[in-house]
């Protein structure tokens, strides 16, 4: 993750401000340090023979006015593009697409109000279009940060903050919660997937579909049984094509990611898994076996699943594309 590779207009604007200030500061640095070095040399102590004191400039009004006014002018000049960028990058355009982003310890939830989609960890957006992240937090302070797309912004419980995001091109961008929010803060990551608008439409249509309810005899059936019998539905929502089996979680205290399209996401557990070099299934196995061991403090408890139950769950979860 770096702020020096902006992939959209908002991040580019911030990057431009950084370089402007950097070069102005560099010029000031070179002039000031250069002047000090010149003076050290010119006014150095040459020994007793020319011990005459150099001309003193203390109380030189014109000089003092100059070195007060020049920095003030530089700061005033820098403030013009800076303040205007702050105003332009705050808030969203009225016609931008809204995605509600909710911070949880320790994962990000994404809700698309116009499309009726609920997902987690991977925020999918159409490229070349302004997206308005309408953000809040479910528990403590979090901070949503996708360096390639924009700066950081707080997620505050009970308040709404806005962050405009736009990517020029399709691509994948990493993010991170940027406010210390408890034990697994460092594992609270995010990923933004920008797609061609037509691919995005296809993704939306897919996400809107419910999950197939497994029936006896199907390979997913055993895993689905584990899901319903082991208390997973206390915390996880799955929308099935048979409404009577769907569970819509309304609890505020213990909700987990929506699993209806779990397998359509390349990463899970706050985008912290799979780790680099680790296979997806191995990571999922590790996660289901003992979540707090993978993510300290995780609100998904160790449910003491057997090896068989975990394997069955992986088959069922894998069918929720
Ligand atoms: C007490 C609530 C709770 C229960 C019960 C629970 N989970 Fe979770 N689950 C969570 C939370 C919270 C997370 C997110 C944890 C994180 O990323 O820090 C999570 C994450 C997951 C994920 C990763 C999802 C993603 O997209 O990141 C899977 C898969 C999962 N749970 C499956 C299960 C299964 C299967 C069961 C039952 C055997 C279960 N959970 C029981 C709360 C729960
Ligand atoms: Cu956080």
């Amino acid at each position: 993750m770096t702020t020096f590779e902006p992939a959209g207009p908002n991040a580019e604007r911030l990057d431009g401000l950084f370089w402007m200030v950097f070069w102005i500061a560099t010029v000031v640095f070179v002039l000031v340090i250069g002047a000090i070095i010149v003076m050290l040399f010119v006014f150095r102590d040459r020994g007793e023979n020319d011990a005459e004191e150099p001309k003193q400039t203390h109380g030189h009004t014109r000089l003092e006015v100059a070195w007060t006014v020049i920095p003030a002018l530089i700061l005033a000049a820098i403030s013009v593009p800076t303040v205007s960028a702050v105003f332009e990058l705050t808030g969203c355009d009225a016609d931008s697409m809204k995605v509600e982003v909710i911070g949880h310890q320790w994962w990000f939830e994404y809700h698309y109000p116009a499309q009726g989609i609920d997902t987690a960890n991977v925020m999918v957006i159409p490229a070349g279009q302004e997206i308005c992240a309408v953000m809040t937090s479910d528990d403590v302070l979090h901070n949503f940060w996708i360096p390639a797309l924009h700066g950081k912004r707080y997620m505050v419980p009970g308040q709404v903050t806005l962050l405009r995001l736009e990517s020029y091109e399709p691509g994948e961008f990493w993010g991170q919660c940027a406010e210390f929010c408890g034990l697994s803060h460092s594992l609270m990551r995010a990923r933004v997937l920008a797609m061609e608008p037509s691919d995005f439409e296809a993704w939306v249509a897919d996400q809107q579909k419910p999950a197939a309810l497994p029936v006896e005899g199907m390979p997913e059936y055993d895993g689905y049984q584990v899901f319903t019998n082991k208390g997973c539905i206390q915390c996880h929502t799955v929308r099935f094509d048979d409404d009577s089996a769907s569970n819509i979680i309304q609890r505020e205290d213990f909700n987990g990611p929506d699993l209806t399209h779990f397998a359509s996401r390349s990463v899970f557990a706050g985008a912290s898994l799979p780790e680099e070099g680790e296979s997806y299934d191995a990571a999922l196995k590790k996660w289901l076996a003992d979540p707090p061991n993978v993510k300290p403090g995780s609100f998904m408890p160790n449910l003491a699943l057997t090896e068989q139950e975990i394997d069955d769950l992986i088959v069922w979860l894998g069918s929720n594309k």
Side-chain angles (χ1 to χ4, degrees):
M1 293 197 301
T2 169
T3 55
F4 294 124
E5 285 164 17
N10 303 303
E12 193 152 63
R13 187 77 189 267
L14 296 179
D15 191 53
L17 284 179
F18 171 83
W19 286 112
M20 177 194 76
V21 173
F22 177 84
W23 287 118
I24 292 175
T26 302
V27 170
V28 170
F29 176 84
V30 169
L31 288 179
V32 170
I33 299 297
I36 289 175
I37 290 171
V38 167
M39 285 177 212
L40 281 177
F41 184 77
V42 172
F43 299 113
R44 72 186 186 281
D45 187 352
R46 292 187 170 87
E48 282 165 49
N49 293 343
D50 57 351
E52 192 188 322
E53 198 176 285
K55 188 166 163 260
Q56 295 301 297
T57 47
H58 180 74
H60 194 298
T61 313
R62 256 189 292 163
L63 252 184
E64 290 191 357
V65 167
W67 65 50
T68 305
V69 167
I70 292 172
L73 287 178
I74 294 174
L75 289 179
I78 289 175
S79 76
V80 173
T82 308
V83 173
S84 72
V86 167
F87 279 98
E88 274 169 48
L89 298 186
T90 302
C92 300
D93 295 343
D95 58 353
S96 58
M97 193 186 103
K98 308 269 181 299
V99 181
E100 291 167 10
V101 186
I102 302 139
H104 299 269
Q105 283 174 315
W106 290 275
W107 56 285
F108 292 105
E109 174 184 348
Y110 308 103
H111 180 66
Y112 296 64
Q115 292 83 358
I117 293 170
D118 212 346
T119 184
N121 303 319
V122 184
M123 181 188 195
V124 180
I125 62 171
Q129 189 179 325
E130 190 195 304
I131 309 302
C132 184
V134 181
M135 311 195 297
T136 191
S137 166
D138 191 33
D139 35 49
V140 300
L141 279 180
H142 297 283
N143 194 314
F144 192 62
W145 187 35
I146 312 292
L149 301 185
H150 204 318
K152 304 167 179 176
R153 187 141 300 157
Y154 273 108
M155 312 175 99
V156 187
Q159 281 184 31
V160 170
T161 48
L162 303 177
L163 183 67
R164 48 200 289 157
L165 296 173
E166 182 174 342
S167 162
Y168 290 129
E169 300 285 337
E172 217 173 36
F173 310 104
W174 279 94
Q176 166 75 43
C177 176
E179 176 67 23
F180 180 68
C181 56
L183 269 185
S184 277
H185 158 67
S186 68
L187 297 173
M188 182 168 174
R189 299 180 192 154
R191 183 176 277 191
V192 172
L193 189 58
M195 293 180 170
E196 293 289 359
S198 57
D199 293 340
F200 177 75
E201 290 307 320
W203 176 83
V204 167
D206 213 53
Q207 295 284 315
Q208 286 170 335
K209 289 185 199 137
L213 181 67
V215 291
E216 231 174 320
M218 288 168 76
E220 300 89 50
Y221 187 71
D222 291 345
Y224 164 68
Q225 287 293 308
V226 178
F227 177 71
T228 52
N229 295 336
K230 285 287 172 175
C232 317
I233 47 177
Q234 250 190 74
C235 308
H236 290 286
T237 302
V238 176
R239 276 182 303 115
F240 287 110
D241 50 9
D242 177 348
D243 273 348
S244 61
S246 297
N247 63 310
I248 306 296
I249 302 288
Q250 302 282 356
R251 292 179 54 186
E252 299 258 308
D253 47 349
F254 260 129
N255 62 338
D258 188 307
L259 299 179
T260 310
H261 289 278
F262 172 72
S264 73
R265 314 196 276 259
S266 54
V267 288
F268 55 93
S272 68
L273 293 175
E275 290 176 80
E276 221 172 309
E278 184 182 39
S279 84
Y280 183 89
D281 279 2
L284 190 51
K285 206 164 186 160
K286 180 173 87 176
W287 173 254
L288 293 172
D290 192 358
N293 187 40
V294 179
K295 266 181 112 163
S298 172
F299 288 98
M300 174 158 159
N302 180 345
L303 292 155
L305 303 170
T306 65
E307 193 111 334
Q308 184 62 49
E309 287 170 331
I310 292 174
D311 289 341
D312 291 342
L313 273 171
I314 290 177
V315 172
W316 171 67
L317 283 166
S319 71
N320 288 346
K321 293 222 161 61

